[in-house]
Amino acid sequence: MKKYLFITIMTITVFATMTSSCSDDFVSRPVQYSIDSENYFNSKSDYENAVIAAYDLLQSTFINVLMGEIASDNTFAGGNSPTDVIGYQQIDQMIHGPVNENLKQLWDWMFAGVQRANYILEFKDKTDFEGKNKIIAEARFLRAYYQFELVKWFGGIPMKGDARFSPGDETSIPRSSVSDVYASIQNDLIYARCLCFYPK
């Protein structure tokens, strides 16, 4: 009896394995998460998600306010000891040099905001839909804000128009002058004001 039960189970197992392994489901599976920068922006929701990503970096602007207050006479860096968050301590005492982790965070986050806004603006002509001008205006407003924070802290910054920065651009594109950065900010804000608050 055990022999027949074993043979039956083995036969069913071999048969099930052969029928399932012969299907193409294992070979030709749909590719998930195959989105890259060149095949994005095909719908309104893609643009909306990109703007949300640009807005997301506003969460990191707490560091701008915090470091501004620490650099002023309004507050002290605080902490448990003089070595607690050494970057803030250096800013508080005005002894920070070119290597300061907290200033680097400010640069990285604000520049990432510029990069995300430029990502939208680089592909602004790829897909047409109703309400696209408002999304472009929001992206330009956000870029202006992030550039303002950067120019306020670091002076002139590298700018690349509506294009994203590629690896290596940080060493090949020179800093724009402060007046050029403010001119870009002004143009973006005028564009955003006209389309966001006073649409035609």
Side-chain angles (χ1 to χ4, degrees):
M1 177 79 173
K2 288 183 181 180
K3 182 178 179 183
Y4 293 116
L5 183 61
F6 178 74
I7 291 173
T8 306
I9 291 174
M10 288 304 291
T11 305
I12 291 172
T13 304
V14 168
F15 180 72
T17 303
M18 290 184 72
T19 58
S20 65
S21 64
C22 292
S23 69
D24 288 337
D25 291 343
F26 294 108
V27 178
S28 59
R29 296 172 67 179
V31 179
Q32 294 181 349
Y33 309 114
S34 63
I35 299 172
D36 62 18
S37 63
E38 305 310 316
N39 67 12
Y40 200 63
F41 296 117
N42 296 318
S43 67
K44 180 178 181 178
S45 66
D46 289 347
Y47 282 89
E48 289 171 342
N49 289 337
V51 168
I52 290 169
Y55 273 110
D56 183 53
L57 284 164
L58 290 174
Q59 295 180 67
S60 63
T61 59
F62 75 91
I63 196 170
N64 306 5
V65 176
L66 180 64
M67 286 200 310
E69 288 295 305
I70 289 171
S72 71
D73 289 337
N74 296 336
T75 188
F76 294 114
N80 288 334
S81 69
T83 59
D84 188 22
V85 192
I86 192 70
Y88 291 152
Q89 301 291 340
Q90 291 172 347
I91 291 168
D92 187 23
Q93 298 166 14
M94 296 293 179
I95 58 170
H96 60 280
V99 179
N100 182 298
E101 184 61 33
N102 300 103
L103 282 172
K104 182 184 180 316
Q105 286 175 339
L106 188 146
W107 173 269
D108 290 345
W109 289 337
M110 295 303 102
F111 205 79
V114 171
Q115 187 79 334
R116 289 184 185 184
N118 280 352
Y119 181 43
I120 298 164
L121 297 172
E122 183 176 344
F123 292 98
K124 67 182 176 234
D125 297 325
K126 186 172 180 186
T127 306
D128 286 328
F129 56 87
E130 186 177 337
K132 180 177 167 186
N133 287 337
K134 186 174 185 293
I135 288 176
I136 301 303
E138 288 179 42
R140 289 188 68 172
F141 170 80
L142 288 169
R143 178 174 66 182
Y145 174 75
Y146 294 130
Q147 285 180 338
F148 172 73
E149 289 295 334
L150 286 168
V151 75
K152 179 174 73 172
W153 281 94
F154 301 102
I157 59 170
M159 293 192 307
K160 199 174 176 184
D162 288 347
R164 290 171 293 160
F165 283 83
S166 302
D169 285 348
E170 69 276 2
T171 59
S172 63
I173 296 178
R175 288 178 171 231
S176 299
S177 68
V178 172
S179 60
D180 287 344
V181 177
Y182 277 114
S184 173
I185 291 169
Q186 182 179 12
N187 290 337
D188 283 344
L189 291 177
I190 290 170
Y191 182 91
R193 179 189 62 128
C194 291
L195 288 176
C196 280
F197 303 108
Y198 306 108
K200 295 176 183 176

